[in-house]
Amino acid sequence: GKALFLFPGVPYELDRMAAEFLVPWLVRRSPGVARETWTIKVAMRPESEVDQALGPVYAAFGGEWITVLAGAGEVRVLLSAVGAEGDRRERLTAMRRQTLATLGESVFGEGAETTLESVVARLLAESGQTLATAESCTGGLVAERMTRVAGASSVFTGGVVVYSNASKSALLGVPPELLQSAGAVSEAVARAMASAVCTRLGSDLGIAITGIAGPGGGSAEKPVGTVHLAVAGPGDLPVEHRLARFPGNRERIRLFASQMALEMLRRRLISNLAGAAAGAARVSV
């Protein structure tokens, strides 16, 4: 009275075959008890903070139907429901609506496959603007993430990896005296890099990252994990800067930095689009 399934262990093949064959088989043989899950993604907000914010949602729907999973700079909130299709869809819709209202602008996307870079690319396309990147400690990670998105060539002009002080000056024109006085890992240099890359690569917006990813190179004043991030543009908008001290090893620090840079840009794009919409509404009135 039992069915056995044998699947390959390679994750890509296993995931695809389970989705295409196993899940439909289970649904057909489990009338009224099928389970459905929806994913909501949050950027650069601690897992504990997200969990605490979801208190009213837990109270309304039951904590056993909501799972909070943490990653580097990203939290996934999984909402689940079981039952007949109409009932579970109605319940999921209500859970989704309240969760989105609770978490607000920290939600960057929905669906398991959604990535922060794909959302940024979409917002750039909607605004008709382009992006360039200037990276030091992340070594081009933001640029690599942007180019994962199909069609990104229409919104991403390119990036430069300026790891040494000499390259920061030669490729971006950061003054040597600024590097000497402020240090390469500083607010002033991050701001200069963000503005310069817009000019050098002809983009509307620029991201800059400079920091200490470790394991060596830190100091009491600038410990490992210290990262300065900046977003410039579009136009004459002030350059936004943020200082972060990320935990973890070298790769985790680099991933955190790329995630925060993209989240800073996402929020700026949302603000710009909202401002443009409000301006258009005033003109139409």
Side-chain angles (χ1 to χ4, degrees):
K2 294 181 173 58
L4 299 178
F5 295 88
L6 297 178
F7 290 110
V10 180
Y12 173 77
E13 296 177 357
L14 171 61
D15 291 346
R16 179 176 58 80
M17 293 178 70
E20 292 182 7
F21 301 106
L22 177 58
V23 172
W25 188 93
L26 290 171
V27 170
R28 287 194 302 270
R29 288 159 177 78
S30 307
V33 294
R35 186 183 189 95
E36 190 170 349
T37 301
W38 186 247
T39 302
I40 293 175
K41 293 189 174 183
V42 175
M44 299 311 300
R45 193 168 175 181
E47 177 191 11
S48 58
E49 185 179 305
V50 172
D51 183 66
Q52 185 174 7
L54 289 172
V57 188
Y58 293 146
F61 298 98
E64 68 272 22
W65 302 107
I66 303 165
T67 303
V68 178
L69 301 175
E74 179 177 304
V75 171
R76 290 178 294 149
V77 180
L78 275 57
L79 310 176
S80 299
V82 298
E85 182 175 359
D87 293 338
R88 70 173 185 267
R89 289 285 171 86
E90 183 178 353
R91 182 174 173 83
L92 268 181
T93 298
M95 294 172 72
R96 171 183 174 272
R97 185 182 299 116
Q98 187 168 344
T99 301
L100 292 175
T102 299
L103 297 178
E105 285 191 359
S106 59
V107 173
F108 72 81
E110 299 182 72
E113 302 304 316
T114 301
T115 62
L116 185 53
E117 53 267 26
S118 67
V119 172
V120 166
R122 175 178 56 78
L123 291 171
L124 285 166
E126 289 176 5
S127 65
Q129 295 171 335
T130 56
L131 169 69
T133 57
E135 303 181 62
S136 182
C137 65
T138 45
L141 182 55
V142 176
E144 191 276 328
R145 289 180 62 177
M146 286 301 302
T147 56
R148 293 178 196 174
V149 182
S153 58
S154 63
V155 296
F156 182 62
T157 62
V160 292
V161 177
V162 282
Y163 209 60
S164 68
N165 284 2
S167 65
K168 290 178 177 65
S169 295
L171 297 178
L172 293 177
V174 179
E177 55 270 23
L178 178 62
L179 289 160
Q180 181 64 33
S181 61
V185 180
S186 64
E187 176 180 349
V189 169
R191 289 179 179 273
M193 288 169 58
S195 297
V197 79
C198 292
T199 302
R200 294 295 173 101
L201 296 186
S203 65
D204 299 298
L205 296 115
I207 282 176
I209 304 174
T210 178
I212 304 168
S219 65
E221 182 184 358
K222 298 178 182 179
V224 170
T226 299
V227 180
H228 288 269
L229 307 99
V231 175
D236 296 328
L237 282 178
V239 177
E240 179 186 358
H241 164 266
R242 192 167 299 178
L243 167 62
R245 289 194 168 89
F246 297 121
N249 60 22
R250 183 178 181 85
E251 288 310 307
R252 193 169 178 83
I253 290 167
R254 283 158 43 89
L255 182 55
F256 265 118
S258 72
Q259 189 80 350
M260 177 171 277
L262 288 170
E263 174 63 2
M264 289 170 65
L265 178 59
R266 182 186 74 88
R267 295 214 177 211
R268 172 160 285 208
L269 287 166
I270 288 173
S271 177
N272 293 348
L273 286 168
R282 286 194 296 271
V283 170
S284 65
V285 170

